[in-house]
Amino acid sequence: MMMLPAFMLGASVVASPTGEFRIRARLPAKADRSKAAALGAGFLEGGRGGWRHLAVNSAQLAALQDAGVAVEFLPAPPPEGPDGYPTHEEMADALQALAEAHPDTARLVQLGVSEEGRAIWALRISATASPDLQWRILGDHHGDEPSSGVLALAVAEHLLRLHGTDSDITRLLDTDAVWIAPMVNPDGIARGSRYNANAVDINRNFGHAWSAAAYRAGEAPFSEPETRAVRAHGAWTGLGAGLSMHSGETNLGWVWNHDAMPAPDASLLEDMATAYLDACTTPGFWVTNGADWYPTTGDTNDWSYGRHGVLDFTLEVTLDKAPPAELLPQMIEDHIPAVVTFLSWPHRATGTVQDAETGLPVPAVVQIDGVPLSTGPDGRFGRPISPAGRTAVVAAPGFRSQSVDLEPGVPATVLLERDGLDPVRPLPVVLSRTGPGEFDLPFHADAVRLHRTGELPVAAIPTAGGWRIDPALLAPGPWTLVVDGMAAPNALFIGEVDDRVELNAVEVSDDRVSLLGRGFGHGTRAWAFAGALRSPIPLIILTTT
């Protein structure tokens, strides 16, 4: 039995059913916070000065106390969430109502499905089909932080209500797109729990700087359906910047979160955070580098920035994780001008990447100071930038890399010359994520590597009869095969496994591609990979069932 500190004897302090204690610990220096992280303690939103909020098990609690760390116990969150906040069904209804009321600027999209089968909804808000820059706002990563989702929904309502009347918002939506997913963890919301239905902290489950030692990080990167939904959206969208909203403090933090070393864009990130700070009227609001506040691994910000080049920030919207509902209008009033200021950052690099021979789009990586900004499938990219501009290197397997000067407000058209491109071989390979991952090539090869924007390259392992990879570790979708230095674009496909979705047949005619099946989410997008280069071509979805 665990021994409680003397000042807590007689108090009603008990662990949760999962053996978790929530504490407030005195950790005044970065070294103290690093030691707590090394124990596997779970850092929670909250805590200023030398204090930090942690989730710990009994062994971690004892280790902190043995090290002389001052500890106070925090109250447990309500078991079923607070009163006055939207349920998953009410949030879905609100998003649907906005889409119906603004059919020219709002589209409802299902990003994925939670562990317990709840849809993860997003609104795409834009007046253009070809945005220069795409922003993302996520709320309710943690189910005990519901004020974050309330603000995300309020931002959507504000943008749609004022489009056409407010010059800043009209200018924003006429050129850009804003994706808003207010409830990323609907199962956690239903329970009033920080974690998803698998007791995983989904903001420790993303695939950049993921650590098995982190508190409730999941069995592997992207082991959870909620994080896979966010990953899929990022892979097919070409995002540039965003806000991941939380609650439990009132601040705005930038990457890195896993490393105290400044990010390559640290100066720009701090400038953007300061602009938010200047426009936010929340008392005591402050800005910080993430790791300076507390270290985390496998979180949304670091994955977005480290793998896709997205300038993603953690926004803590209220000091209480779930303040009384009557205080929410003031919270919204405090933050809305700051969110609009953030989305209206005046300096941006935008452009398209194309095959110089055909003019077709090339999914590519735009390296800005070593940070890999991913284009969308249409070859388009956009990202906030410093006023002075930047120089970037644009690269894609099978093409010659090219330097380009990115000037704010001047769209760049990057024409890549083919170099080491094999558009014919090998034949397309399709693998299931749950299969053995073995495939053959119709010719001898000495080395095979897999490439995809936003993902780390993977080397295939030779076998007696061909090649092998572990498809469970790879993002679903198309991968480029580089065989002995020759690139075959989108030649290998990793299929996702979901018993809720069933594709029964594909019918192709001169003017239509029909996908027959069930379980397709609302707003499902599809691409055909056509021609010798297997260029991604968006398909128009007429109906889904």
Side-chain angles (χ1 to χ4, degrees):
M1 181 175 179
M2 185 193 66
M3 295 297 294
L4 294 177
F7 67 85
M8 291 303 303
L9 290 178
S12 57
V13 177
V14 295
S16 72
T18 56
E20 174 182 285
F21 294 87
R22 294 193 171 205
I23 63 173
R24 183 171 176 259
R26 177 73 174 169
L27 303 169
K30 284 185 182 180
D32 299 320
R33 298 191 283 277
S34 296
K35 289 177 182 176
L39 289 173
F43 281 84
L44 309 176
E45 287 70 17
R48 300 189 186 188
W51 293 90
R52 295 295 182 271
H53 293 180
L54 304 176
V56 294
N57 59 31
S58 58
Q60 293 159 348
L61 176 60
L64 289 171
Q65 293 171 335
D66 289 344
V69 174
V71 169
E72 298 175 0
F73 288 84
L74 297 172
E80 296 180 357
D83 294 332
Y85 284 80
T87 64
H88 174 258
E89 293 76 14
E90 291 167 342
M91 182 68 79
D93 289 344
L95 295 174
Q96 178 68 47
L98 287 174
E100 293 175 352
H102 303 275
D104 294 333
T105 48
R107 176 163 56 92
L108 186 63
V109 177
Q110 182 179 333
L111 301 186
V113 180
S114 72
E115 178 67 21
E116 294 185 326
R118 296 179 174 91
I120 301 171
W121 294 108
L123 273 183
R124 180 192 184 273
I125 303 175
S126 180
T128 176
S130 301
D132 292 336
L133 196 157
Q134 303 203 59
W135 307 80
R136 181 189 64 198
I137 294 176
L138 303 175
D140 291 349
H141 262 95
H142 298 132
D144 61 343
E145 300 173 11
S147 60
S148 62
V150 170
L151 179 58
L153 176 62
V155 171
E157 294 170 341
H158 183 80
L159 295 178
L160 291 169
R161 183 173 65 253
L162 294 186
H163 178 248
T165 62
D166 180 277
S167 59
D168 288 341
I169 291 174
T170 297
R171 185 164 47 248
L172 169 71
L173 298 185
D174 283 352
T175 60
D176 296 356
V178 183
W179 292 84
I180 300 180
M183 196 172 284
V184 178
N185 182 8
D187 296 350
I189 286 289
R191 290 172 165 77
S193 168
R194 178 181 179 88
Y195 312 110
N196 74 350
N198 292 328
V200 171
D201 185 336
I202 64 172
N203 206 38
R204 305 294 182 266
N205 188 242
F206 286 87
H208 185 80
W210 178 85
S211 171
Y215 194 82
R216 300 190 186 279
E219 294 181 355
F222 298 112
S223 62
E224 306 309 301
E226 297 86 358
T227 53
R228 292 199 297 271
V230 175
R231 176 178 65 176
H233 177 249
W236 292 99
T237 306
L239 299 165
L243 295 170
S244 293
M245 295 181 174
H246 294 258
S247 61
E249 249 301 341
T250 51
N251 65 27
L252 184 65
W254 61 88
V255 296
W256 298 110
N257 293 315
H258 76 281
D259 193 331
M261 291 294 293
D265 289 287
S267 179
L268 171 62
L269 294 163
E270 185 171 2
D271 288 345
M272 294 179 70
T274 301
Y276 192 104
L277 170 67
D278 292 343
C280 183
T281 56
T282 296
F285 192 83
W286 53 293
V287 299
T288 181
N289 169 263
D292 283 346
W293 186 26
Y294 64 78
T296 62
T297 54
D299 77 300
T300 321
N301 298 159
D302 282 8
W303 165 76
S304 298
Y305 182 69
R307 293 291 175 85
H308 286 287
V310 179
L311 304 184
D312 196 44
F313 294 73
T314 289
L315 173 62
E316 302 284 345
V317 303
T318 53
L319 193 59
D320 294 332
K321 288 180 177 289
E326 59 266 24
L327 300 182
L328 295 177
Q330 183 63 54
M331 177 268 291
I332 293 169
E333 183 179 334
D334 288 342
H335 281 281
I336 286 288
V339 174
V340 173
T341 296
F342 178 84
L343 297 175
S344 303
W345 182 257
H347 315 294
R348 69 259 307 278
T350 62
T352 58
V353 182
Q354 300 172 357
D355 176 12
E357 183 173 320
T358 64
L360 291 173
V362 176
V365 171
V366 182
Q367 293 273 357
I368 305 175
D369 289 342
V371 178
L373 176 65
S374 300
T375 72
D378 56 1
R380 299 176 68 92
F381 65 89
R383 204 203 76 171
I385 200 171
S386 62
R390 305 288 275 275
T391 297
V393 177
V394 182
F399 292 87
R400 188 176 299 117
S401 299
Q402 180 178 324
S403 295
V404 58
D405 292 329
L406 301 177
E407 300 180 30
V410 181
T413 300
V414 183
L415 302 177
L416 293 183
E417 300 286 344
R418 300 182 184 186
D419 182 21
L421 190 66
D422 185 346
V424 178
R425 304 180 308 163
L427 297 175
V429 176
V430 180
L431 300 175
S432 167
R433 287 189 75 241
T434 60
E438 297 178 355
F439 61 96
D440 297 328
L441 298 176
F443 49 84
H444 172 77
D446 292 320
V448 178
R449 292 177 65 83
L450 283 67
H451 290 259
R452 186 179 183 185
T453 57
E455 302 290 335
L456 295 177
V458 175
I461 299 172
T463 66
W467 298 88
R468 177 172 56 83
I469 57 172
D470 185 352
L473 300 179
L474 303 182
W479 289 73
T480 290
L481 285 179
V482 178
V483 182
D484 294 340
M486 297 290 287
N490 300 319
L492 184 143
F493 294 79
I494 303 294
E496 179 67 281
V497 176
D498 189 333
D499 57 11
R500 303 181 185 95
V501 179
E502 183 178 287
L503 180 62
N504 296 318
V506 178
E507 298 178 358
V508 181
S509 64
D510 292 339
D511 61 353
R512 178 173 299 186
V513 177
S514 299
L515 308 178
L516 307 178
R518 64 174 180 84
F520 302 120
H522 187 84
T524 293
R525 304 168 72 191
W527 281 264
F529 292 86
L533 297 179
R534 300 186 184 92
S535 299
I537 299 173
L539 302 179
I540 298 174
I541 305 296
L542 300 179
T543 60
T544 59
T545 56

